[in-house]
Every structure is written in C-alpha cells, then in structure tokens.
Amino acid sequence: MAPFRFALQLSQAATPAAWRDLARKTEDLGYSTLYIPDHLDDQWAPMIALTVAAEATTTLTVGTLVLDNDFRHPVILAMEAATLDVVTGGRFELGMGAGWMSTDYARSGIPMDPAAVRIAKLGESLQIMQSMWKDGTASFDGEYYTVSEAVGTPSPVTPGGPPLVIGGGSKRILTLGGQYADIISIVPSLAAGVIGPEVAAESVVEKYTDRVGWARAAAGDRADELEFQCWTAVVQVVPNAAELFGQLAPAFGLTADQLAAAPIALVGTVGEIVETLQKRREELGFSYIVVHEAEMDALAPVIAELAGS
C-alpha cells in the first residue's frame, strides 16, 4: 500500500504575504501538497499562485486540482508545466480535468461541449503534452488538436514530466485517468455542472468502489503503480460521530451507516479518523487525502499520526 500523504486545497488569500504564510503553515503542519483549483470565480490564477507558494517553502509540493483543459492549449500548458517543474525542483503535480462547472463556461463564453467531447479533447491534450516532455517534441493530427514539431522546452527535471493527476467521478474520465495518470483523484460525479443535493447519493462507498475499479481496469499492468486520491468535503474531530451521522443522514437521503462510510467525510475522534483512513486505504486504496482550508487545522493531529506510514 502507498504511504499516506495529505494535501490542502486553497483558492486565494487576503494578501500576498498571507498567501505565503498559508503555504508555510501548510508545510509546517505536515501536508505534502498545496493544491489550487481552476475556476473563473473568486480565486487566484493557478500557475502564478503556485509559483509563489513554492518559492515561499522548501519541501512542499504544489499542484493544480484540476486545470480545465478547455482553458489552455496543450502546447502552451506543456511549456508552463515543465517550467514550473524546473523552477520548483520537481515539486509540482499537474492535475487535469475536462471541465464540469457550467458557470465557468457561461461567464467566459467558452463553448461547453458535451462531456464525451470534452474528455476526448483532454485525451488528445495529454498525448501532446506527454510527447513534448518525454520525446522533446510533439507532432499530432487529431480531431481537436493539430500540432507540428512542437518543441518540448524547457526539459522537465522530473523524468517524463511532472506527475499527472486526473480527477473525476465518471467512468469515461476515470478510464482516461487509468490510461495516462500517475495519481487518480476520485470525486462524486459532477455531471450536473453544479454541486447540489445529488452529490450525497454519488458519495456512497459502493460508487467509489466502482470508480476505483474503472481506473485500475484501464491502467492494466500498471494498476498497482497508481496512487489514489480522495477529495474530502468535511473533517470534524468530535467525540460523538455516531450521533452526528444519525442526525444528518436523513437530510441527505442516506442511512447513518451510508453517511459514515462515504469517503467525502471524516468525522470522529482523532483515533477514529485514523482507523477510518486506514480502512479506506486497505479497501479502496485511498492513501492521498485532500481537504480544504476550513479543515486545515482539524486534520493536523491525524497527519501527525499517519503521514508517511
């Protein structure tokens, strides 16, 4: 089993100094990685913000969770990602997705193609970028992209390019992840284009088992090399987890047991959360846990117990 590591997802800070302080605190608390999402709302531009965070720290990995493929041409992104890999000394993870939030497209005027088209475009982008990193050049004539002798400079310091994270909740995107990614980030299905009440039903453990299976099947011989990441919405260190699950479950249309087992939540004492994560790693392979800024301090004692083990 892969050792545990933990990531914090941030969007911005009040000031540049506060952003640097957040990055340093993330590192000091034992988090492996600082991630930033990619939406056209109230957040900082990902690649620039990550560069600043990396400069403010010494061991912290920085990464995108995840960039929308529709927002950047793969030749340009391959150069930016390789540059960030170089300037951080290999402390960068490139998370890619096919886009899902409908408001991003409505606000920007970028056409939101059907999911099948967006994912096919992402697949072509990945081929181009990986060719640039691994071979130093890319020529590609696909349905959505055509490039001719695109030069892969700078050369990444990480062999083959920065670790690739593919995130999603559908069979199609997770199959693509199994084919190309180093890290598979499992989330509930976001096909609705918004986060709504349907997310609870998409978070039951049986659906997560299916999602892990899709990625592993697509990975074939390298299935055991994949690192599985779990996006976590709620962390509460409390002494009465069973009582809370019983109170909250009806609001989500789930039983208390279903809510307790849902991988998007970590609720209980520190010891109970440690046991929950160990069980999820054993049963689902989740060793890489992502939380948000609001949960930053709550998870710290769990990180102290599990990171690297």
Side-chain angles (χ1 to χ4, degrees):
M1 291 182 290
F4 279 110
R5 58 184 183 133
F6 298 84
L8 185 70
Q9 188 173 45
L10 303 171
S11 295
Q12 60 169 319
T15 66
W19 178 254
R20 292 181 176 91
D21 287 343
L22 268 174
R24 285 188 282 262
K25 181 179 178 181
T26 302
E27 184 175 60
D28 291 343
L29 288 177
Y31 285 91
S32 165
T33 308
L34 185 157
Y35 281 127
I36 192 167
D38 187 32
H39 296 297
L40 303 180
D41 52 20
D42 190 17
Q43 71 154 86
W44 286 4
M47 304 297 266
I48 299 170
L50 292 177
T51 304
V52 173
E55 286 289 290
T57 56
T58 57
T59 62
L60 187 69
T61 296
V62 297
T64 53
L65 199 66
V66 291
L67 295 184
D68 186 328
N69 179 66
D70 283 332
F71 296 167
R72 299 162 188 85
H73 191 281
V75 171
I76 305 303
L77 180 57
M79 179 179 287
E80 291 185 351
T83 300
L84 194 46
D85 181 67
V86 169
V87 300
T88 62
R91 292 188 289 132
F92 173 60
E93 293 176 358
L94 178 63
M96 293 292 297
W100 65 272
M101 188 180 288
S102 57
T103 54
D104 287 337
Y105 291 87
R107 289 167 176 164
S108 66
I110 297 171
M112 189 173 188
D113 296 316
V117 173
R118 299 197 310 273
I119 293 169
K121 289 170 67 177
L122 174 59
E124 291 192 4
S125 288
L126 297 174
Q127 292 179 65
I128 293 167
M129 290 191 292
Q130 289 192 334
S131 181
M132 290 175 67
W133 296 330
K134 294 177 180 178
D135 304 327
T137 185
S139 293
F140 185 86
D141 186 10
E143 185 174 356
Y144 305 104
Y145 298 103
T146 300
V147 302
S148 179
E149 298 181 2
V151 180
T153 57
S155 179
V157 298
T158 303
L164 184 63
V165 186
I166 299 293
S170 72
K171 184 174 184 178
R172 192 178 278 118
I173 190 69
L174 292 171
T175 296
L176 188 70
Q179 293 168 341
Y180 289 98
D182 304 287
I183 301 162
I184 306 295
S185 186
I186 306 288
V187 302
S189 174
L190 299 172
V194 296
I195 295 179
E198 75 286 342
V199 170
E202 287 291 329
S203 300
V204 295
V205 70
E206 292 82 5
K207 289 184 178 288
Y208 273 69
T209 300
D210 289 342
R211 292 172 185 132
V212 169
W214 296 332
R216 288 184 59 87
D221 292 342
R222 67 185 198 95
D224 289 339
E225 300 173 15
L226 297 177
E227 186 174 20
F228 281 94
Q229 184 182 91
C230 185
W231 173 81
T232 309
V234 177
V235 177
Q236 290 191 29
V237 179
V238 294
N240 59 334
E243 179 183 348
L244 287 178
F245 286 130
Q247 293 172 351
L248 295 174
F252 295 102
L254 302 176
T255 67
D257 287 343
Q258 285 177 315
L259 187 59
I264 62 169
L266 289 170
V267 180
T269 65
V270 169
E272 288 170 340
I273 292 175
V274 165
E275 290 178 4
T276 294
L277 288 173
Q278 290 171 330
K279 181 179 179 183
R280 288 177 184 168
R281 181 174 64 174
E282 181 178 348
E283 295 179 352
L284 295 167
F286 291 139
S287 60
Y288 198 172
I289 311 302
V290 182
V291 300
H292 295 88
E293 184 177 355
E295 288 82 31
M296 181 181 195
D297 293 311
L299 197 64
V302 175
I303 294 173
E305 289 274 347
L306 287 180
S309 65

